[in-house]
């Protein structure tokens, strides 16, 4: 009798399927949406409707969950449960009871506490009856809820690794968009045209050759969700330029909700925003469905570094990268970013693009200096302190080559500068080296 409800039958089938795979369950799992939707249906089944005047009070399962701490007079509140409630109540990304309830379900799956609010509720029969109709609900029915608790115990044996920062559209849908976190090289302009539509920051266009365009990280139609860890949803129109100004000279940390889901379809909640942009910009390319996204372990997909790349570290903790020294050129009295493109082109024209002719070496990004040595580290080729470096960057058409400009003394008083050009092993190394120099000396200006 207890298992006749179709919601419990569905929940059991989904959990059994998830238990067949030992891998952690992430947002890309095809069965995750069905699981969350089934749990939500169980929480809503038999939930009593409010009796408020004109029906203005929109009651949902989140309402009883968040109220539970007020009714635990002689009972200790599970601290993880309490923290989860506080997180949902204070999140700026969810605005409705539905969104907060869904956010709680995702947290509860990650933390294995999905049964905790039901346990607390059942210890107070009068409160349970206040919220649930015993004849029409699962949680309010003694036999049904016993079966439910057994299934939720199964769920605690599964490992969920859901991205809890991916919450901006839970008010509207259980479909999880693709959320990417990028660390972009320091630059004065990100290179995107943005529009504020319904309190959201939507990318209307990408500037050719900009850091945003590199590797198609950011595309027209994407939504900027966070910058430097700060939520952008619902903030003022000046938030993005203000954050860029406050962090000038530092890597740009931005989180982007991609226009396409993993299935290749355009993320449905973004379509209305795209139509609004097209009314203002008739040339805006309306995104269309495409091939499904392949799961990847590349840095842009996972945020990690591919095996076999990246620096080694010496005993002092300094990062050391394998590089090839291409050459240097005199840039005269000008040490700013405007000389970098031309200087790299000049050195490459003189030395050619046959990398076998370049000088093998390693570059140490020390606490106070950038040091280039021969491959075995026994002989210094160049050493420049961060205050001597006036600018650095790379050409957008040859991103594996990077350069920095240094004066013959501290760059603020130097009257003579040279540009030093190097070839990195990978595009990622090139970017990371530039980023590290920014972290080493905040006065360095950039061209990327």
């Amino acid at each position: 009798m207890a298992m006749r409800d179709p919601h419990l039958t569905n929940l059991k089938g989904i959990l059994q399927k998830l238990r067949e795979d030992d891998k952690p369950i992430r947002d890309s799992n095809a069965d995750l949406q069905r699981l969350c939707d089934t749990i939500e249906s169980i929480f809503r089944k038999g939930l009593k409707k409010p009796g408020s005047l004109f029906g203005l009070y929109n009651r949902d399962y989140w309402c009883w969950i968040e109220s539970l701490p007020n009714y635990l007079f002689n009972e200790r509140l599970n601290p993880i449960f309490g923290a989860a409630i506080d997180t949902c109540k204070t999140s700026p990304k969810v605005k409705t009871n539905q969104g907060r309830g869904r956010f709680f379900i995702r947290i509860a799956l990650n933390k294995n506490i999905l049964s905790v609010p039901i346990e607390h509720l059942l210890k107070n029969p009068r409160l349970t009856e206040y919220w649930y109709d015993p004849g029409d609900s699962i949680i309010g029915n003694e036999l049904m809820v016993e079966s439910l608790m057994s299934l939720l115990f199964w769920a605690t044996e599964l490992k969920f690794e859901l991205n809890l920062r991916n919450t901006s559209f839970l008010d509207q849908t259980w479909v999880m968009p693709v959320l990417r976190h990028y660390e972009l090289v320091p630059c004065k302009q990100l290179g995107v045209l943005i529009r504020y539509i319904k309190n959201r920051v939507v990318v209307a266009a990408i500037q050719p050759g900009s850091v945003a365009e590199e590797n198609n990280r950011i595309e027209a139609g994407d939504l900027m969700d966070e910058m430097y860890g700060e939520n952008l949803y619902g903030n003022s129109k000046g938030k993005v330029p203000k954050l860029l100004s406050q962090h000038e000279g530092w890597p740009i940390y931005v989180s982007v909700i991609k226009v396409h889901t993993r299935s290749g379809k355009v993320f449905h909640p973004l379509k209305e925003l795209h139509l609004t942009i097209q009314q203002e910009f008739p040339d805006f390319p309306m995104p269309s469905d495409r091939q499904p996204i392949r799961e990847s372990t590349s840095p842009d997909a996972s945020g990690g570094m591919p095996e076999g790349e990246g620096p080694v570290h010496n005993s002092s903790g300094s990062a050391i990268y394998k590089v090839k020294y291409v050459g240097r050129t005199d840039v005269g009295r000008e040490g700013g970013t405007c000389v970098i493109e031309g200087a790299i082109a000049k050195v490459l024209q003189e030395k050619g693009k046959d990398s076998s002719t370049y000088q093998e070496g390693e570059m140490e990004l020390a606490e106070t200096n950038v040091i280039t040595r021969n491959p075995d580290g026994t002989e210094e080729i160049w050493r420049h302190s961060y205050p001597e470096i006036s600018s650095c960057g790379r050409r957008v058409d040859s991103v594996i080559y990077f350069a920095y400009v240094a004066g013959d003394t501290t760059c603020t008083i130097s009257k003579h500068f040279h540009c030093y050009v190097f070839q990195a092993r990978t595009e990622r190394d090139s970017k990371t080296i530039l980023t590290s120099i920014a972290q080493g000396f905040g006065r360095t200006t950039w061209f990327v």
Side-chain angles (χ1 to χ4, degrees), residues 172-413:
Q172 298 168 246
T173 180
W174 268 122
V175 178
M176 300 309 299
V178 175
L179 178 66
R180 297 289 192 227
H181 307 293
Y182 297 128
E183 177 185 335
L184 306 177
V185 292
C187 54
K188 292 184 178 179
Q189 292 185 342
L190 184 56
V192 297
L193 175 66
I194 57 176
R195 284 294 176 264
Y196 293 82
I197 304 172
K198 294 189 175 181
N199 294 318
R200 298 191 186 274
V201 183
V202 188
V203 178
I206 304 293
Q207 179 182 345
S210 66
V211 65
E213 186 191 44
E214 191 174 305
N215 291 335
N216 291 320
R217 286 183 173 90
I218 302 177
E219 303 170 89
D222 287 350
L223 184 140
M224 294 175 62
D225 190 52
E226 293 180 3
M227 181 171 280
Y228 295 103
E230 294 195 30
N231 170 60
L232 298 179
Y233 178 29
N235 273 295
S236 65
K237 292 186 177 181
K239 185 70 171 180
V240 171
K242 181 179 179 181
L243 286 171
L244 288 173
S245 176
Q246 289 175 342
H247 297 84
E248 184 175 352
W250 291 88
I252 299 174
Y253 297 97
V254 60
S255 299
V256 175
I257 291 178
K258 301 299 294 178
V259 63
H260 293 98
T261 64
R262 289 176 179 82
S263 68
K265 295 183 179 297
V266 175
F267 183 49
H268 190 268
L270 294 181
K271 290 184 176 181
E272 183 180 354
L273 308 182
H274 295 158
L275 289 172
T276 304
I277 293 177
Q278 195 177 51
Q279 292 174 3
E280 184 178 354
F281 298 100
D283 293 335
F284 173 73
M286 282 293 289
S288 58
D289 296 347
R290 63 187 185 190
Q291 293 297 313
I293 296 175
R294 291 184 178 183
E295 292 301 318
S296 171
T297 57
S298 68
D300 291 337
S302 65
M305 183 174 289
E307 185 178 356
E309 293 185 15
V312 296
H313 294 80
N314 61 17
S315 58
S316 64
S318 299
I320 299 176
Y321 291 84
K322 296 291 185 182
V323 298
K324 290 186 177 183
Y325 172 58
V326 184
R328 72 168 184 165
T329 186
D330 190 322
V331 293
R333 298 171 64 89
E334 176 58 58
T337 58
C338 59
V339 304
I340 288 178
E341 277 207 0
I344 294 176
K346 182 180 178 181
V347 170
L348 290 178
Q349 185 177 15
E350 293 175 353
K351 303 293 184 179
K353 288 196 173 184
D354 181 2
S355 62
S356 65
T357 64
Y358 304 157
Q359 185 175 355
E360 296 277 355
E362 61 180 33
M363 179 175 285
E364 178 184 352
L365 304 175
E367 186 70 24
T368 57
N369 299 281
V370 177
I371 307 166
T372 307
R373 299 185 178 89
N374 63 355
D376 59 12
T378 58
E379 180 182 347
E380 287 189 5
I381 301 173
W382 299 109
R383 173 188 286 260
H384 294 101
S385 67
Y386 291 115
E388 292 174 334
I389 298 174
S390 59
S391 63
C392 71
R394 56 186 180 177
R395 291 179 61 92
V396 296
D397 58 351
S398 303
V399 292
I400 201 169
Y401 295 97
F402 68 96
Y404 64 79
V405 178
D408 50 12
T409 183
T410 303
C411 65
T412 54
I413 60 175

